[in-house]
Amino acid sequence: ADLVDNSIAAGASEIYIDIIAKQDSRQDTIPKREFHPAAVVIADNGKGMDKDALQEAMRFGTHQEYSLSDLGKYGLGLKTASLSQCRILTVSSKAKAASGIRPRRHYMRWDIDHVYETNDWNLLIPEEGELEAWEKELLNQDVTKENGTVVLWTNLEGTLSLLSSNNAREREKLMSHLIGEISAHLSMVFHRFMQGAVTGRRKLNISFCGTPLVPWDPFCRNEKTEELDILRIPVILEEADGSKIEETVTVSPFILPSEDEFSSQEAWREASGPKNWNQQQGLYFYRNSRLLQAGGWSRLRTIDEHTKLLRVAVDFSSELDSPFAINITKMRASIPAEIRDKVEQSLSAWVKTARARYDNPSREQPSLKNNGPLVSIDHSTRSDLQATGNNTN
């Protein structure tokens, strides 16, 4: 997901992801390209990078200016996400053509074994002629023909190392698991981008292992979902220098249909989500329209069978990263203490409506109106707010 964030930041509309397992050499009927070592490929048609920009992107702790709508945070995602899964990270990029300039593809690589051997963090810059044939093929994806970037993981680590197992059944089992799990995760995390629902951004298409992904909307708005009134909470951030930032947290509650109200049994099963109905109830935190956390009640209440139809979108901008306790992983968020009481107060009414629909699905439920108070968050309280992120469920 971190790498997809980078592709979106680069303005990509097409992202191609592939997982390649090792193939037994005795399988002569397999095309030559299948004899590659186990690898993971993430390619996009974003604006791409020239040599200097690529070298900066490969630097740890790179200095990068993020706009308020960007998904990145620390300039570490490409390296930390990749090297937690592989020992060799190779990136190729071709910048968008400028007037009178023919863009060239550049290649750079981090090789952890090379780092150990030399006892130094030397970024490798291979020329195209130095690459293996299979590397050239993987690093020159069709989606990047005009411009774009390809990220290649090889010498895979952890669970992914099983893609290189000599046991074909073991490889096939892992591939099946990865395809199911990753497809579900990406379809959920980036569903707004894939639906074309993010203002100012092109609709995003993601192809995973040769199959286009279909966005998964947690709120099933194409079914008989009841949308309750939106709660908007104005927030003022007071910085250490005395400056103030005014933001708004938008909380949107949805009551999903009960099983017999869904258009089909298949639609009901799909709506259950990756973690199934009970675990998918709760708060859905969106930072700049990218889903960070799906489900759970952030210690506001406990999971309950009778409230499994209640799902609540919580939208905030990157300006509110600190009060929402967003860290480098961008995988968790927590309701800030200063707005917690207002959310909890509204939640009581939403829970009542959800329980009523669960118990008597055919009955129409009344709309709920909420008007949020102005909330001021002082800079000095931020260390306390960070502590609220330790337990998000």
Side-chain angles (χ1 to χ4, degrees):
D2 267 335
L3 301 186
V4 173
D5 285 346
N6 291 342
S7 297
I8 292 172
S13 60
E14 303 285 338
I15 299 176
Y16 169 90
I17 304 171
D18 200 6
I19 298 176
I20 302 167
K22 170 188 171 183
Q23 295 289 337
D24 293 328
S25 58
R26 67 176 180 272
Q27 293 174 292
D28 298 330
T29 58
I30 295 174
K32 186 177 180 182
R33 72 174 302 275
E34 297 289 353
F35 293 114
H36 299 156
V40 176
V41 183
I42 305 97
D44 67 61
N45 68 341
K47 62 185 178 181
M49 295 172 278
D50 60 21
K51 185 175 182 179
D52 290 341
L54 177 56
Q55 189 160 1
E56 182 65 17
M58 292 290 275
R59 189 164 68 86
F60 283 84
T62 180
H63 174 72
Q64 187 170 345
E65 296 293 337
Y66 291 107
S67 71
L68 293 181
S69 62
D70 277 343
L71 303 183
K73 185 166 175 63
Y74 294 109
L76 287 168
L78 169 64
K79 286 78 66 176
T80 55
S82 298
L83 294 176
S84 68
Q85 306 296 321
C86 68
R87 297 186 70 79
I88 298 179
L89 162 65
T90 309
V91 179
S92 78
S93 196
K94 184 178 182 181
K96 196 168 187 177
S99 179
I101 299 176
R102 184 179 178 182
R104 180 189 168 194
R105 187 177 297 277
H106 297 279
Y107 306 87
M108 294 189 187
R109 171 178 291 162
W110 281 116
D111 184 334
I112 297 303
D113 292 328
H114 177 78
V115 169
Y116 278 120
E117 289 169 7
T118 61
N119 197 30
D120 198 2
W121 284 89
N122 291 318
L123 179 64
L124 303 178
I125 307 179
E127 293 294 329
E128 185 166 340
E130 299 172 328
L131 299 172
E132 299 284 346
W134 61 268
E135 290 180 296
K136 290 181 189 177
E137 183 181 352
L138 294 182
L139 291 166
N140 287 266
Q141 296 289 328
D142 288 343
V143 73
T144 67
K145 185 175 181 180
E146 298 298 326
N147 47 263
T149 300
V150 182
V151 176
L152 172 63
W153 297 350
T154 49
N155 285 31
L156 301 174
E157 293 270 85
T159 302
L160 292 178
S161 65
L162 294 178
L163 293 171
S164 298
S165 170
N166 290 324
N167 186 322
R169 292 189 65 183
E170 193 172 55
R171 297 196 304 268
E172 290 167 5
K173 183 178 178 181
L174 177 60
M175 278 292 291
S176 176
H177 169 75
L178 290 174
I179 288 172
E181 189 174 73
I182 296 172
S183 296
H185 185 70
L186 295 179
S187 296
M188 177 177 67
V189 169
F190 298 103
H191 75 91
R192 289 184 178 177
F193 294 89
M194 297 168 68
Q195 291 167 325
V198 180
T199 303
R201 292 190 183 272
R202 292 187 290 173
K203 183 179 179 180
L204 180 67
N205 297 306
I206 302 178
S207 174
F208 182 68
C209 291
T211 301
L213 296 186
V214 177
W216 182 77
D217 178 9
F219 312 110
C220 303
R221 277 166 281 205
N222 59 340
E223 296 286 342
K224 296 178 180 178
T225 292
E226 182 179 1
E227 302 182 30
L228 306 183
D229 284 355
I230 294 173
L231 172 65
R232 293 184 175 89
I233 309 179
V235 175
I236 294 179
L237 282 179
E238 296 186 8
E239 301 286 20
D241 61 3
S243 62
K244 294 183 179 180
I245 300 173
E246 295 186 15
E247 288 291 325
T248 299
V249 177
T250 304
V251 185
S252 308
F254 298 86
I255 312 294
L256 275 62
S258 61
E259 183 174 0
D260 60 353
E261 292 178 297
F262 264 82
S263 57
S264 67
Q265 274 295 308
E266 182 182 1
W268 164 258
R269 286 192 297 270
E270 287 180 358
S272 68
K275 296 185 290 187
N276 295 319
W277 275 103
N278 277 352
Q279 298 302 317
Q280 293 286 176
Q281 67 182 275
L283 305 176
Y284 286 69
F285 290 93
Y286 291 86
R287 175 185 182 266
N288 293 346
S289 290
R290 193 264 214 197
L291 183 60
L292 297 183
Q293 179 179 318
W297 287 111
S298 194
R299 298 194 310 235
L300 291 174
R301 57 176 286 107
T302 58
I303 298 295
D304 183 349
E305 164 70 17
H306 297 88
T307 57
K308 70 180 183 182
L309 303 180
L310 177 57
R311 296 176 182 175
V312 183
V314 180
D315 279 272
F316 61 96
S317 78
S318 54
E319 292 275 33
L320 297 180
D321 279 356
S322 182
F324 273 90
I326 306 303
N327 62 16
I328 189 173
T329 68
K330 295 180 294 181
M331 290 177 64
R332 294 287 183 270
S334 180
I335 292 290
E338 280 75 2
I339 70 171
R340 196 175 186 85
D341 286 347
K342 179 58 181 176
V343 174
E344 192 166 19
Q345 177 186 349
S346 300
L347 181 59
S348 298
W350 301 336
V351 165
K352 227 180 246 190
T353 307
R355 287 186 66 104
R357 185 159 193 180
Y358 177 89
D359 294 334
N360 188 4
S362 63
R363 187 178 70 183
E364 287 190 16
Q365 304 301 332
S367 295
L368 302 177
K369 293 186 178 292
N370 297 285
N371 296 307
L374 185 67
V375 178
S376 179
I377 298 180
D378 189 271
H379 182 81
S380 63
T381 67
R382 289 190 173 185
S383 60
D384 295 332
L385 294 176
Q386 289 285 359
T388 67
N390 294 335
N391 183 351
T392 61
N393 290 324

